Amino acid sequence: MALIVQKYGGTSVGSVERIQAVAQRVYKTVKAGNSIVVVVSAMGKTTDGLVKLATEISPNPNRREMDMLLSTGEQVTIALLSMALQELGQPAISMTGAQVGIVTEAEHSRARILHIETTRLTRHINEGKVVVVAGFQGISSAGEMEITTLGRGGSDTSAVAIAAALRANFCEIYTDVPGILTTDPRLVAEAQLMDAITCDEMLELASLGAKVLHPRAVEIARNYGVPLVVRSSWTDQPGTWVTSAKPQGRSLINLEIARPVDHVEFDTDQAKVALLRVPDKPGVAARLFGEISRQKVDVDLIIQSVHEGNSNDIAFTVTTPILRRAEAVATAIAPALRSQSNPKLEEAEVMVEHNIAKVSIAGAGMIGRPGVAAKMFATLAEAGVNIQMISTSEVKVSCVVNANQCDRAVNALRTAFEIEAGEQGSKGAGESTCIDSPLPLPPSAPLPNSPPVRGVALDLNQARLAIRQLPDRPGMAAKLFGLLAKHNISVDMIIQSQRCRVIDGVPRRDIAFTVSRIDGENAREMLTQVAAELGWGEVVLDSAIAKVSIVGAGMVGQPGIAAKMFEALAQHQINIQMIATSEIKISCVVAQEQGVKALQAIHAAFELAGSEKFVVPA
């Protein structure tokens, strides 16, 4: 007999008939000899309706009262589903988040789970009842017994957290699609269903806007080794398994706010090649990395800065043994990248830097916790370490620094994030833990027989901020991203320009980064207010962007992947405005109106389409 947590979203319980269908599915699972906890969302568009009512009363409703209001939606569903199960002869009991004992921070509308009191839950399970739990909600621990909500995707988070607390055999997420697809079926009807995906890959896709799972839910599954499966509410298809890393005795106290960094890693076998002043037009990145791919040069990090005039900079890192080959390719292609439309533009210049190192912090939920990257930058600044390049992802933040500062950087980061010496490693460290099923593989390794690119995601809800002429010295990134973290603004892509200008005796670079569009204007105003005081230049906001990304653990060691992505965009005359990469993700910023076309072009280029068309139910 298995203990299973099942979660059903709003569309799955959107009517009486659908609630009765869910009850039948739950009843069938119990009769097969299993114990079940069911977590549900509010029916259909109930939450939207409640929000509309609130805004009719107040244009800026109080967050505490919003939590009180929105938590009622799930209470309707749990009562009706419990009644439906009882009508089938199955003992069931409905419980709110507070009754279950989901204890959260005292932070209205976006609380994180601290711990779950499982005594009452376990007693009802042992009595043979199906426990039907209201997702998305909890209760604060500060003594006031305040109702809190978990924010977007909260029911997913509730379900996986309960599965972790109960040490359930697995957690099933039932939704309106048959599993995890290679892209959004609303944009590409031939999106292909995956049998399995690693937690790291899923974390990246979820953070990029793949709505089938919320990043916080995947983060909990990864941290606590919860086997997770995404299935359709309408069929009996097996769905997609999300394979999770075997946990190393992580405490269930401070469940969502426990140590975010598991490892500090470093790689001193690195060198950087930068091409300055390449034309800002479609096809440039495709041409460069196409030639790099043909010469079998394996690239690690790639960044393309925000444009300056009619040109921008592209930089990439390689391992030291292949530096000469990489430099030769870049030097050979640089003259060909001269802008034909503007012959006066200076020829692209190749700049090579030896003696660099990459230091990284690895964990889960980096982007969703704005203070983590900021703390890394502040730690490096306090240690007197200047950052040359930055790479961010949901599972890792990496900084390129001088090699002679590597030891100092690693030791400082280990201390700041409380990482024991044995938990730190050199290149590839932190990749020795195994997943529970189906095979013992490192968490960031590709699953057997899976293609190098697993999914393509489009995020149309980002804005880009660029700060011109930021002083190039230790502490600038710490100040900037510390300010954003203080205002709870999460940052995604971060790009430092490779071009350095000396103004009034101070070397300066531009820095650009992306944030959620709803945070864009607030971030611009806040940074503009402090720019003069901190010696920064102009702060520029662009909300008309789209970010398209590919994700796959199998991309490591395959130099042609980036080239194929860039070529797909070039063929459709889509200009790349920014590039940022991590080990398992490549992201490009393009014009907003070209976002959907970019996603469709990339999905087709990697031949990810399946033979079946998926129609998402209304």
Side-chain angles (χ1 to χ4, degrees):
M1 183 177 80
L3 173 56
I4 304 168
V5 177
Q6 295 183 340
K7 178 262 175 177
Y8 294 90
T11 53
S12 304
V13 292
S15 65
V16 168
E17 293 75 21
R18 288 183 177 182
I19 288 173
Q20 290 171 328
V22 167
Q24 288 283 355
R25 187 186 287 269
V26 173
Y27 181 67
K28 181 179 174 183
T29 307
V30 173
K31 289 304 171 188
N34 302 296
S35 296
I36 305 292
V37 175
V38 182
V39 177
V40 292
S41 299
M43 294 175 65
K45 301 292 184 181
T46 298
T47 302
D48 293 342
L50 293 172
V51 171
K52 186 172 184 292
L53 285 173
T55 54
E56 287 174 3
I57 295 289
S58 167
N60 186 27
N62 178 276
R63 280 176 31 189
R64 179 195 181 274
E65 303 309 330
M66 282 300 291
D67 276 4
M68 185 68 75
L69 176 67
L70 297 182
S71 65
T72 64
E74 281 71 20
Q75 291 179 46
V76 173
T77 317
I78 60 175
L80 292 174
L81 180 55
S82 294
M83 293 175 192
L85 285 163
Q86 290 161 8
E87 282 298 301
L88 295 173
Q90 171 59 47
I93 183 169
S94 61
M95 296 176 72
T96 66
Q99 289 172 319
V100 169
I102 298 176
V103 180
T104 76
E105 302 169 304
E107 183 76 39
H108 288 294
S109 80
R110 56 184 181 215
R112 288 184 177 269
I113 297 171
L114 299 178
H115 62 277
I116 300 176
E117 303 281 358
T118 58
T119 306
R120 189 176 178 189
L121 198 53
T122 303
R123 186 177 79 244
H124 289 308
I125 293 168
N126 292 338
E127 290 169 355
K129 296 174 186 174
V130 170
V131 184
V132 185
V133 179
F136 176 66
Q137 61 181 247
I139 191 164
S140 71
S141 63
E144 276 87 10
M145 306 289 282
E146 290 287 321
I147 291 173
T148 56
T149 63
L150 309 182
R152 189 174 69 84
S155 292
D156 287 354
T157 305
S158 300
V160 182
I162 289 170
L166 291 173
R167 293 181 169 82
N169 293 85
F170 54 90
C171 180
E172 297 178 320
I173 305 290
Y174 285 91
T175 184
D176 51 8
V177 290
I180 298 164
L181 302 167
T182 50
T183 196
D184 186 343
R186 296 170 185 84
L187 301 178
V188 180
E190 299 82 9
Q192 190 173 175
L193 180 66
M194 295 182 241
D195 295 329
I197 186 170
T198 68
C199 248
D200 284 1
E201 290 170 324
M202 190 65 239
L203 252 180
E204 296 290 6
L205 288 172
S207 73
L208 292 166
K211 297 178 179 62
V212 68
L213 274 175
H214 194 271
R216 282 170 63 183
V218 185
E219 183 181 334
I220 296 168
R222 181 187 189 272
N223 286 342
Y224 292 94
V226 178
L228 195 58
V229 61
V230 178
R231 302 180 67 188
S232 169
S233 299
W234 326 112
T235 72
D236 290 323
Q237 287 180 273
T240 305
W241 283 91
V242 182
T243 59
S244 52
K246 190 172 183 178
Q248 300 176 349
R250 187 182 283 262
S251 171
L252 286 161
I253 303 299
N254 291 333
L255 192 144
E256 273 203 278
I257 63 170
R259 192 177 75 183
V261 174
D262 297 322
H263 306 282
V264 175
E265 304 171 3
F266 63 92
D267 181 2
T268 53
D269 190 23
Q270 293 254 317
K272 179 175 71 175
V273 179
L275 277 86
L276 310 185
R277 296 182 296 279
V278 299
D280 181 35
K281 64 180 183 180
V284 171
R287 193 166 180 183
L288 171 61
F289 289 97
E291 187 57 34
I292 284 171
S293 171
R294 282 186 287 276
Q295 298 300 323
K296 300 290 190 288
V297 174
D298 189 19
V299 171
D300 185 3
L301 303 181
I302 303 171
I303 66 163
Q304 177 180 306
S305 309
V306 63
H307 70 88
E308 184 175 332
N310 295 318
S311 70
N312 49 35
D313 307 332
I314 298 178
F316 56 93
T317 61
V318 294
T319 57
T320 306
I322 60 171
L323 172 60
R324 288 194 176 184
R325 210 181 333 150
E327 184 181 359
V329 172
T331 303
I333 203 169
L337 295 179
R338 183 183 299 170
S339 173
Q340 299 302 314
S341 59
N342 187 1
K344 294 181 181 178
L345 191 72
E346 290 181 79
E347 185 176 323
E349 175 190 350
V350 177
M351 184 174 70
V352 175
E353 188 157 353
H354 306 263
N355 302 318
I356 62 168
K358 182 175 73 173
V359 294
S360 309
I361 53 172
M366 300 288 184
I367 292 172
R369 302 189 191 189
V372 177
K375 184 175 180 178
M376 180 186 192
F377 304 150
T379 299
L380 294 177
E382 287 166 13
V385 176
N386 199 34
I387 300 169
Q388 299 180 23
M389 293 171 73
I390 299 170
S391 165
T392 57
S393 77
E394 272 293 334
V395 296
K396 191 175 286 189
V397 180
S398 299
C399 294
V400 170
V401 302
N402 286 334
N404 60 9
Q405 297 180 322
C406 181
D407 287 347
R408 196 191 323 161
V410 169
N411 290 332
L413 292 171
R414 278 178 45 209
T415 300
F417 290 102
E418 299 177 10
I419 305 296
E420 296 296 327
E423 298 173 281
Q424 162 216 337
S426 59
K427 185 177 181 181
E431 298 178 356
S432 59
T433 54
C434 299
I435 58 177
D436 284 330
S437 65
L439 292 171
L441 292 169
S444 57
L447 293 167
N449 304 316
S450 62
V453 174
R454 307 304 313 282
V456 185
L458 175 66
D459 191 344
L460 292 168
N461 297 306
Q462 294 224 330
R464 178 180 62 216
L465 284 146
I467 302 178
R468 302 293 187 182
Q469 299 174 11
L470 201 76
D472 184 31
R473 57 174 177 252
M476 281 294 109
K479 281 194 175 73
L480 168 58
F481 297 107
L483 278 169
L484 294 167
K486 186 178 177 182
H487 288 77
N488 204 35
I489 296 173
S490 292
V491 174
D492 188 0
M493 298 170 69
I494 302 173
I495 307 292
Q496 290 189 116
S497 70
Q498 296 304 297
R499 241 178 287 188
C500 187
R501 281 192 167 81
V502 178
I503 300 173
D504 298 328
V506 179
R508 297 173 181 271
R509 298 182 192 272
D510 296 343
I511 191 164
F513 53 93
T514 58
V515 298
S516 174
R517 188 170 295 159
I518 60 172
D519 290 328
E521 187 56 43
N522 287 340
R524 187 195 67 78
E525 288 180 9
M526 183 262 292
L527 295 173
T528 299
Q529 288 171 6
V530 300
E533 176 190 339
L534 295 173
W536 301 348
E538 183 185 11
V539 180
V540 182
L541 173 66
D542 183 358
S543 296
I545 64 165
K547 185 181 72 172
V548 63
S549 308
I550 57 173
V551 172
M555 295 195 297
V556 178
Q558 299 212 30
I561 300 298
K564 183 181 281 192
M565 180 183 188
F566 303 153
E567 180 59 33
L569 296 175
Q571 286 177 357
H572 289 79
Q573 288 299 299
I574 298 171
N575 193 36
I576 300 171
Q577 299 180 15
M578 290 169 69
I579 300 170
T581 69
S582 68
E583 278 89 341
I584 65 171
K585 179 177 72 175
I586 302 174
S587 296
C588 295
V589 167
V590 301
Q592 184 180 16
E593 68 271 14
Q594 294 183 309
V596 173
K597 184 165 72 168
L599 175 131
Q600 292 168 341
I602 293 166
H603 194 270
F606 286 100
E607 300 176 357
L608 294 176
S611 55
E612 184 180 353
K613 287 191 176 184
F614 291 105
V615 178
V616 179

